[in-house]
Amino acid sequence: MAETKKFAMVVSEGSFDKAMMAMMMGNTAASMGIETHIYFTFFGLNLLKKGAKPKLPGMLRFFTGTMVKKMKGIGMEGYQEQLEMAKELGVKIYACSSSMEMMGIKKEDLIDGITVLGAAAFLNMATESDMQLFIG
Amino acid sequence: MVIIMDKNDTLDAKGLMCPMPIVKLAKKMKDLKVGEVLELIADDVGSKEDVPAWCNRTGNQLVGQKEEGGAFYFYIKKVQ
């Protein structure tokens, strides 16, 4: 058994494509036995709102439904299902405290089971990780 | 690769795309006992590389692999 690796990811955008990328990467890593930490900041924070339904960016947003259907057709779950899966797989989810303040989002607006963190705490975690990714 | 066809359980992941075969594989392996072999069937081309990588990372053993009728068959032995 290879030693346990640690993975830190930052998500700074809240569009559908970024959301799915984060979930797919995070869930795959967790399934591989990699300890996975995801930090949601700026517009990424919207993804942690209860019942969040992200859309594609800009004018492409009108095609989100088509894309969701296409993904379902090839056996890919939707965003909410993947987020639920992430929690089941033990992915650690963090919300950026200053983004919450800036965007007027309260802890109770966000899904359960997440931790509110400042940048320093997350960066400290990232320095101890074997792999860091930024999705934005 | 030597084909070992003895299996204790099967996971059919046909029609599923990356990363679902790996996510389902990880879940399924939890139900197996050490030493048991799972047969995984997938048709996502990516799984050809993904499944060996998953085994390598998790320390489970890929004891057999074949391609048949457009699908990939993997035989994975639970090590721990």
Side-chain angles (χ1 to χ4, degrees), chain B residues 26-54:
Chain B
K27 271 193 189 157
K28 186 79 186 172
M29 283 305 270
K30 284 191 183 142
D31 300 336
L32 263 73
K33 293 188 190 76
V34 171
E36 287 187 335
V37 173
L38 176 77
E39 176 187 56
L40 169 68
I41 314 168
D43 55 7
D44 168 21
V45 181
S47 62
K48 221 172 153 179
E49 300 291 332
D50 283 357
V51 175
W54 181 86

Side-chain angles (χ1 to χ4, degrees), chain B residues 55-72:
Chain B
C55 292
N56 179 266
R57 182 102 300 276
T58 57
N60 291 293
Q61 197 185 351
L62 186 62
V63 291
Q65 194 176 345
K66 67 172 178 180
E67 212 176 312
E68 207 176 272
F72 307 103

Side-chain angles (χ1 to χ4, degrees), chain A residues 6-125:
Chain A
K6 210 166 150 180
F7 175 27
M9 178 169 23
V10 176
V11 182
S12 76
E13 286 283 355
S15 59
F16 178 76
D17 48 327
K18 305 289 164 66
M20 294 308 278
M21 172 57 70
M23 286 302 123
M24 277 147 69
M25 282 287 189
N27 288 341
T28 305
S31 296
M32 292 175 83
I34 298 169
E35 193 188 307
T36 306
H37 302 261
I38 312 181
Y39 187 62
F40 289 84
T41 183
F42 276 79
F43 301 113
L45 202 52
N46 288 324
L47 297 173
L48 295 185
K49 280 188 186 161
K50 286 184 181 121
K53 256 181 133 177
K55 299 220 176 320
L56 285 166
M59 292 299 277
L60 282 174
R61 67 182 180 278
F62 301 115
F63 299 99
T64 309
T66 315
M67 196 157 183
V68 169
K69 241 184 242 162
K70 225 174 182 178
M71 284 177 141
K72 288 241 156 89
I74 55 169
M76 232 178 243
E77 310 264 4
Y79 171 69
Q80 281 297 335
E81 289 86 351
Q82 294 239 22
L83 185 61
E84 206 45 54
M85 202 187 297
K87 286 207 267 177
E88 255 174 59
L89 290 166
V91 172
K92 306 272 192 313
I93 297 171
Y94 307 98
C96 165
S97 56
S98 53
S99 296
M100 282 172 71
E101 196 68 32
M102 180 183 80
M103 295 162 70
I105 295 171
K106 301 208 169 46
K107 179 90 200 277
E108 54 267 31
D109 300 331
L110 302 177
I111 55 165
D112 298 326
I114 60 163
T115 311
V116 177
L117 278 189
F122 178 76
L123 288 173
N124 186 39
M125 207 178 296

Side-chain angles (χ1 to χ4, degrees), chain B residues 4-18:
Chain B
I4 299 179
M5 304 292 288
D6 288 335
K7 58 185 183 196
N8 300 92
D9 209 343
T10 295
L11 173 63
D12 187 352
K14 285 202 296 287
L16 298 181
M17 286 289 145
C18 168

